[in-house]
C-alpha cells in the first residue's frame, strides 16, 4: 500500500477532540494559576497543552496586561526587533473545491477565473522585485491548467529565473493544495522554502459543514499533508487556522496537538504558524458572517498565547488585518508579515486589488515602502533574509541553532544587511533616512559579536555587493 494511504488512516490520531474539550472544561484562570504559567513561559521552553486554557480564559484586564507584557518579553528575547517581510503571489484562482468562505470556490460565478501564463508570472515577479521584495509566498487554488501539477513546478522555475537589475526572488514558499509524497518530492527539488497549508478548522464537524465539495472535503487527506511533506524531506512546514470558523480556544489546542504529533514523528514541529481571520470574500455568506467571530482582544490573545506556547516557531500576520492590528501584534509575537499584497492573480502588474477577482478583501493596502517606513519608525528591522534556507539551516538544524539563542548572531546581522539593500536600491528618500537611523540605533544596542558581523556585511552592501549573509 502506498505510504500516503497509511497516513490517511492515521489522520484521526493527530487531534484528539475529546481531550481538547476536556482540557477546556477543566481549567480555571485564577491569578495564581495564570502567573504560574506566565513564569513558566519565561523559561522559553514553551507550554504544555494544559497551560493553554489557563491563559485562554483570562478576562481580567490586569492579567491580560501581564499576558501581553510576557509575550512581548519572550518575543524580544528570541526575535529581537526583526520582522521578516514577504509578498504573496497568486498565480491562479482556478479551483475545484467548495470552501464556503472563499471567493475562489468552484461554483462562485462572481469571480473572474484565470491562471497566469509564465510570461504573466514573470511580469508579476518583476513588479515585486522592483518594489524590493526577495521572498514570495506562491498561492494557488486547487485546480491547475491543462499541464496539471507541472504548472506549479514551471511557475516556480519562472519565479526564480526572473531578475530585474539587482532584484531577484531568493526564497519561495508555497501555499498550495495537499500533495502526494511523490509530488512533494518534486516540490522540494524545485527548491521551495516552507510548504504552507492551513487546516482551516481542526473541528471535524465544522470542517465538514464548510467544505462541501471537491478533494478538500477530505479532512484526513488535509491533516496528514504535513506528514507527507516531511516524509518527502520538506522540513520547513507552516500550519494555520482560519479563525472565525469554530471556537478559537479549541483551535489553538488542536493546533498544538498537531505540532506535538509532528515533533514526535519527525523530531521537529512546524516552522511557522499563520493566524488568518475570516475576511469578507466576494459571493461568500460565511466570510461576511463568521460562525465564531474572533474579537480584536481575543485575536491579540491568540498571538500572545501562541508566542508563549511555541516560542521558536514563527508567527505570520498577513495584510488581511488593518495596519493598527498589525502594529499591535508585532509586539506580541508576530515575526513575519506580508506587505504590499494583492490576492488576485495579475494584481501586481495591473496595480489593482479588484474585489471580484480577489480571494478576500485586505485590511492593509499600503505599498511596501510605506509599510517598511512604518515598521522602522516603530523600531523594528524589516528583514529580507533568506540565509538559513540557502545554507541548509532548516528543520531540526534550524531549531538546534535557535534554541540556545545562537541563531540571533546570524539573523540580526542578516536583517540589517538585507534592509540596507532595500534602502539603497528601492526606498524613497524619507524611508531611507528613517531606515538608516534605525540601523544605527540597532547597531549601537548590539553586543560586540553581532555588531562586528553586522558592520562587515553592511560595508560590503555599501560598497556595491549584494546578497551577502552569514
Ligand atoms: N487553495 C489552497 C488551500 O485552500 O489550501 C491554498 C491557497 S488558499 C488560496 C490560502 C488560504 O486562504 C486558505 O487556506 C484559507 O485559510 C485562506 N482564506 C480563504 N478564504 C478566506 C477568507 N474569506 N478570509 C481569510 N482567509 C481566507
Ligand atoms: Fe479553493 Fe483554497 Fe479557496 Fe478552498 S480556500 S476554494 S481550496 S482556493
Amino acid at each position: 500500500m502506498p505510504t500516503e494511504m497509511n497516513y490517511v488512516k492515521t489522520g484521526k490520531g493527530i487531534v484528539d477532540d475529546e481531550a481538547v474539550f476536556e482540557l477546556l472544561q477543566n481549567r480555571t484562570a485564577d491569578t495564581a494559576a495564570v502567573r504560574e504559567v506566565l513564569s513558566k513561559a519565561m523559561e522559553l521552553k514553551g507550554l504544555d497543552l494544559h497551560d493553554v486554557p489557563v491563559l485562554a480564559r483570562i478576562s481580567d484586564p490586569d492579567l491580560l496586561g501581564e499576558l501581553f507584557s510576557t509575550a512581548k518579553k519572550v518575543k524580544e528575547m528570541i526575535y529581537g526587533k526583526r520582522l521578516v517581510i514577504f509578498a504573496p503571489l497568486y498565480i491562479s484562482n482556478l479551483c475545484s473545491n467548495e470552501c464556503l468562505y472563499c471567493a475562489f470556490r468552484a461554483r462562485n460565478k462572481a469571480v473572474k477565473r484565470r491562471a497566469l501564463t509564465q510570461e504573466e508570472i514573470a511580469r508579476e515577479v518583476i513588479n515585486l522585485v522592483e518594489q524590493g521584495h526577495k521572498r514570495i509566498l506562491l498561492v494557488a487554488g486547487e485546480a491547475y491548467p491543462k499541464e496539471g501539477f507541472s504548472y506549479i513546478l514551471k511557475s516556480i522555475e519562472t519565479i526564480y529565473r526572473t531578475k530585474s537589475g539587482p532584484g531577484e526572488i531568493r526564497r519561495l514558499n508555497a501555499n498550495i493544495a495537499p500533495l502526494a509524497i511523490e509530488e512533494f518530492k518534486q516540490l522540494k527539488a524545485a527548491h521551495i522554502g516552507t510548504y504552507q497549508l492551513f487546516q482551516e478548522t481542526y473541528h471535524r464537524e465544522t470542517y465538514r459543514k464548510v467544505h462541501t465539495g471537491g478533494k478538500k472535503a477530505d479532512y484526513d487527506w488535509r491533516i496528514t499533508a504535513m506528514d507527507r511533506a516531511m516524509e518527502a524531506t520538506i522540513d520547513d512546514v507552516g500550519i494555520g487556522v482560519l479563525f472565525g470558523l469554530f471556537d478559537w480556544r479549541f483551535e489553538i489546542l488542536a493546533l498544538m496537538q498537531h505540532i506535538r504529533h509532528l515533533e514526535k514523528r519527525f523530531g521537529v514541529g512546524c516552522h511557522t504558524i499563520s493566524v488568518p481571520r475570516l475576511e469578507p470574500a466576494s459571493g461568500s455568506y460565511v466570510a461576511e458572517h463568521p460562525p465564531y467571530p474572533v474579537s480584536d482582544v481575543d485575536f491579540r490573545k491568540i498571538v500572545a498565547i501562541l508566542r508563549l506556547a511555541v516560542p521558536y516557531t514563527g508567527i505570520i500576520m498577513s495584510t488581511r488585518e488593518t495596519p493598527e492590528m498589525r502594529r499591535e501584534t508585532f509586539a506580541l509575537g508576530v515575526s513575519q508579515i506580508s506587505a504590499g499584497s494583492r490576492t488576485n492573480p495579475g494584481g501586481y502588474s495591473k496595480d489593482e486589488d479588484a474585489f471580484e477577482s480577489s480571494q478576500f478583501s485586505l485590511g492593509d493596502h499600503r505599498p511596501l515602502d510605506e509599510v517598511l517606513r512604518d515598521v522602522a519608525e516603530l523600531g523594528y528591522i524589516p528583514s529580507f533574509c533568506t540565509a538559513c534556507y540557502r545554507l541548509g539551516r532548516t528543520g531540526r538544524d534550524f531549531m538546534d541553532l535557535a534554541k540556545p539563542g545562537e541563531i540571533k548572531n546570524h539573523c540580526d546581522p542578516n536583517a540589517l544587511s538585507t534592509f540596507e539593500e532595500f534602502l539603497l536600491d528601492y526606498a524613497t528618500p524619507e524611508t531611507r533616512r528613517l531606515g538608516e537611523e534605525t540601523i544605527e540605533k540597532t547597531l549601537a544596542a548590539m553586543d560586540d559579536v553581532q555588531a562586528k558581523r553586522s558592520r562587515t556585511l553592511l560595508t560590503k552592501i555599501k560598497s556595491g555587493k549584494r546578497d551577502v549573509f552569514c
Side-chain angles (χ1 to χ4, degrees):
M1 189 187 292
T3 334
E4 48 261 42
M5 293 304 288
N6 294 332
Y7 294 142
V8 171
K9 285 195 177 151
T10 60
K12 284 205 171 73
I14 297 174
V15 169
D16 180 347
D17 286 29
E18 272 180 35
V20 172
F21 283 124
E22 216 175 289
L23 279 166
L24 287 174
Q25 266 164 21
N26 285 347
R27 305 300 296 188
T28 55
D30 61 62
T31 306
V34 169
R35 294 211 171 121
E36 200 180 307
V37 174
L38 294 181
S39 75
K40 177 175 172 181
M42 287 297 288
E43 292 167 22
L44 307 186
K45 293 193 183 122
L47 299 178
D48 292 308
L49 256 69
H50 61 254
D51 297 323
V52 170
V54 177
L55 301 184
R57 290 227 176 139
I58 298 176
S59 58
D60 173 75
D62 291 337
L63 283 180
L64 204 57
E66 287 181 38
L67 166 66
F68 292 161
S69 67
T70 310
K72 186 165 190 262
K73 282 183 207 145
V74 167
K75 147 109 202 223
E76 293 212 349
M77 280 192 277
I78 295 176
Y79 296 88
K81 289 286 192 181
R82 290 185 315 277
L83 267 181
V84 169
I85 311 291
F86 72 95
L89 174 53
Y90 280 70
I91 59 168
S92 156
N93 61 12
L94 310 183
C95 196
S96 52
N97 292 321
E98 272 301 313
C99 309
L100 297 187
Y101 45 80
C102 179
F104 295 171
R105 73 196 156 80
R107 284 204 284 267
N108 186 13
K109 297 275 183 283
V111 156
K112 277 192 259 160
R113 304 285 164 172
R114 65 188 298 212
L116 300 183
T117 62
Q118 297 307 311
E119 291 71 34
E120 287 171 326
I121 292 173
R123 224 174 297 145
E124 290 283 273
V125 173
I126 288 172
N127 224 289
L128 285 166
V129 298
E130 288 182 351
Q131 289 174 46
H133 279 291
K134 302 279 187 279
R135 302 170 62 110
I136 271 185
L137 174 68
L138 178 145
V139 188
E142 187 164 0
Y144 306 123
K146 273 200 297 303
E147 63 258 58
F149 175 61
S150 63
Y151 171 67
I152 298 285
L153 299 174
K154 246 198 255 169
S155 306
I156 295 175
E157 217 186 298
T158 301
I159 292 167
Y160 277 132
R161 208 183 40 226
T162 304
K163 319 256 178 216
S164 177
E168 62 186 350
I169 294 305
R170 298 178 185 157
R171 176 175 177 139
L172 178 148
N173 300 330
N175 185 328
I176 57 168
L179 303 171
I181 289 178
E182 272 317 307
E183 293 166 323
F184 273 128
K185 283 185 183 161
Q186 293 174 43
L187 205 58
K188 163 90 178 178
H191 304 293
I192 65 148
T194 305
Y195 171 67
Q196 205 183 73
L197 187 77
F198 312 149
Q199 186 61 25
E200 320 296 11
T201 171
Y202 283 97
H203 188 247
R204 274 180 191 271
E205 183 57 19
T206 306
Y207 189 94
R208 193 184 54 74
K209 283 190 194 146
V210 295
H211 299 106
T212 58
K215 204 167 175 187
K216 189 160 166 183
D218 185 346
Y219 178 106
D220 289 297
W221 177 248
R222 193 163 182 94
I223 202 169
T224 52
M226 294 314 183
D227 288 74
R228 293 190 300 281
M230 290 176 105
E231 185 82 354
T233 72
I234 294 178
D235 48 12
D236 280 352
V237 297
I239 63 177
V241 165
L242 184 52
F243 287 102
L245 293 175
F246 190 61
D247 184 347
W248 65 267
R249 298 161 191 85
F250 175 94
E251 302 287 16
I252 57 173
L253 275 171
L255 179 125
M256 279 185 68
Q257 286 189 336
H258 193 179
I259 295 173
R260 297 286 177 257
H261 161 81
L262 295 174
E263 281 171 347
K264 215 155 116 195
R265 278 208 63 205
F266 300 99
V268 64
C270 59
H271 189 64
T272 55
I273 298 173
S274 297
V275 290
R277 259 197 303 189
L278 266 181
E279 292 298 333
S282 145
S284 165
Y285 179 85
V286 174
E288 300 266 3
H289 305 89
Y292 286 80
V294 174
S295 70
D296 285 354
V297 174
D298 283 344
F299 191 60
R300 289 186 205 106
K301 268 165 88 175
I302 291 171
V303 173
I305 293 171
L306 290 174
R307 181 68 301 136
L308 302 181
V310 279
Y312 294 94
T313 302
I315 299 180
I316 302 180
M317 176 74 56
S318 76
T319 47
R320 290 173 180 86
E321 298 297 334
T322 60
E324 295 71 34
M325 178 55 81
R326 277 154 55 90
R327 282 186 203 110
E328 283 185 49
T329 51
F330 297 164
L332 298 177
V334 165
S335 57
Q336 293 194 23
I337 59 165
S338 50
S341 306
R342 298 278 184 268
T343 67
N344 52 322
Y348 294 109
S349 310
K350 288 207 177 126
D351 195 21
E352 62 168 29
D353 58 355
F355 187 61
E356 64 282 3
S357 53
S358 298
Q359 193 193 12
F360 46 77
S361 69
L362 300 176
D364 186 346
H365 301 265
R366 298 169 302 164
L368 179 65
D369 183 83
E370 199 178 323
V371 173
L372 296 202
R373 193 182 327 141
D374 186 28
V375 162
E377 255 180 320
L378 293 168
Y380 293 97
I381 297 288
S383 174
F384 294 92
C385 177
T386 53
C388 280
Y389 139 80
R390 289 154 86 210
L391 293 171
R393 292 192 300 242
T394 57
R396 211 169 170 168
D397 292 343
F398 172 81
M399 285 299 171
D400 287 349
L401 271 176
K403 292 196 172 162
E406 168 58 16
I407 197 73
K408 266 182 119 173
N409 292 331
H410 299 277
C411 300
D412 288 350
N414 289 337
L416 290 183
S417 70
T418 53
F419 185 35
E420 183 67 51
E421 271 189 71
F422 173 83
L423 295 177
L424 294 178
D425 296 339
Y426 305 103
T428 54
E430 178 59 3
T431 304
R432 185 182 298 178
R433 190 188 58 73
L434 254 161
E436 295 293 358
E437 270 175 35
T438 311
I439 290 180
E440 281 312 314
K441 277 189 210 143
T442 311
L443 284 168
M446 278 177 159
D447 67 33
D448 290 350
V449 178
Q450 282 188 354
K452 194 166 167 233
R453 279 193 192 181
S454 303
R455 287 188 197 284
T456 308
L457 294 181
L458 287 168
T459 307
K460 287 185 185 167
I461 297 291
K462 285 179 182 161
S463 72
K465 289 217 172 67
R466 291 293 174 265
D467 199 16
V468 295
F469 48 82
C470 60

